[in-house]
Amino acid sequence: SFALIFLLTGPISSLVAADIEAGKAKSIVCSACHGQDGNSINPLWPSLASQHKQYTINALNAYLNGARVNAVMRAQLMALTEKDFEDIATYYNAQTMQKKNYDFELAKKGESLYRGGNSSTGVAACIACHGPTGRGNPGAGYPSIAGQHAQYTKDALKHYKTLERKSGLNDMMQSLAARLTTEEVEAVSEYIQALGSE
């Protein structure tokens, strides 16, 4: 029975490893902005380490088809196939988000918004979709945001607010971002960065 289990799991394991290795090779160009292991050193660019595979594939397709507008991303993706997207997404999903320093007091303010929202302005709690640890919900299409650069998160929320970015999930992020104050954006973005350090 051990041999049968090995036969059933052996090829699957090597297939996954091959996808990760293929993704690592295919992500070399990506590493200039997103870091060799998916941990971007520039806070303006997102870290992709540990991101859900399907979310990454969906994001890459959105850049390619123009649903998300970024000329650099689109140019980088034009020569890639769906298999390339899958390999790259598998590689980044297998990486670990690096811990980042954060402002404790600011993050503490953001924690209450992340966990409880703001009922007076109609802002839902981030925890409802992104979970208590910020790891998201891959089945529902909600990304892992734990440990993301605060600056990137602030920019993303701003782009949701101005409708420059669409989430594709019933415009939920656009609606929420429009209700956030500048102070709330600062605080919740810092808390999201802090989540990767827990």
Side-chain angles (χ1 to χ4, degrees), residues 19-124:
D19 286 346
I20 291 172
E21 286 306 310
K24 181 177 183 178
K26 293 171 184 179
S27 72
I28 288 173
V29 173
C30 312
S31 68
C33 296
H34 300 289
Q36 186 175 8
D37 60 355
N39 285 285
S40 168
I41 59 169
N42 186 327
L44 296 174
W45 299 324
S47 288
L48 305 177
S50 75
Q51 186 55 264
H52 305 302
K53 180 180 171 182
Q54 193 57 51
Y55 182 83
T56 299
I57 292 169
N58 292 346
L60 294 174
N61 278 310
Y63 283 121
L64 187 61
N65 68 30
R68 285 180 73 172
V69 179
N70 183 302
V72 173
M73 283 296 298
R74 187 156 197 253
Q76 295 295 333
L77 299 172
M78 291 180 78
L80 298 180
T81 66
E82 192 66 29
K83 174 70 168 113
D84 295 333
F85 287 4
E86 289 177 17
D87 290 344
I88 290 168
T90 298
Y91 171 68
Y92 283 130
N93 177 253
Q95 304 312 301
T96 302
M97 179 71 80
Q98 289 178 350
K99 294 180 178 183
K100 298 174 182 67
N101 294 327
Y102 61 93
D103 179 321
F104 180 82
E105 291 303 320
L106 185 58
K108 196 72 179 151
K109 291 177 186 174
E111 181 180 15
S112 63
L113 183 67
Y114 184 93
R115 294 186 175 282
N118 184 339
S119 59
S120 66
T121 58
V123 174

Side-chain angles (χ1 to χ4, degrees), residues 51 55 59 62-63 67-68 130 141-143 145 152-180 185 189 192:
Q51 186 55 264
Y55 182 83
Y63 283 121
R68 285 180 73 172
H130 297 288
Y142 301 126
I145 58 175
Y152 176 78
T153 302
K154 285 188 275 189
D155 290 346
L157 290 169
K158 180 182 89 174
H159 292 143
Y160 281 129
K161 187 174 190 169
T162 61
L163 306 181
E164 292 174 61
R165 181 172 173 180
K166 300 262 184 192
S167 65
L169 298 167
N170 303 320
D171 295 332
M172 182 181 353
M173 286 304 302
Q174 292 85 345
S175 175
L176 289 173
R179 296 183 175 111
L180 292 171
V185 168
S189 296
I192 288 166

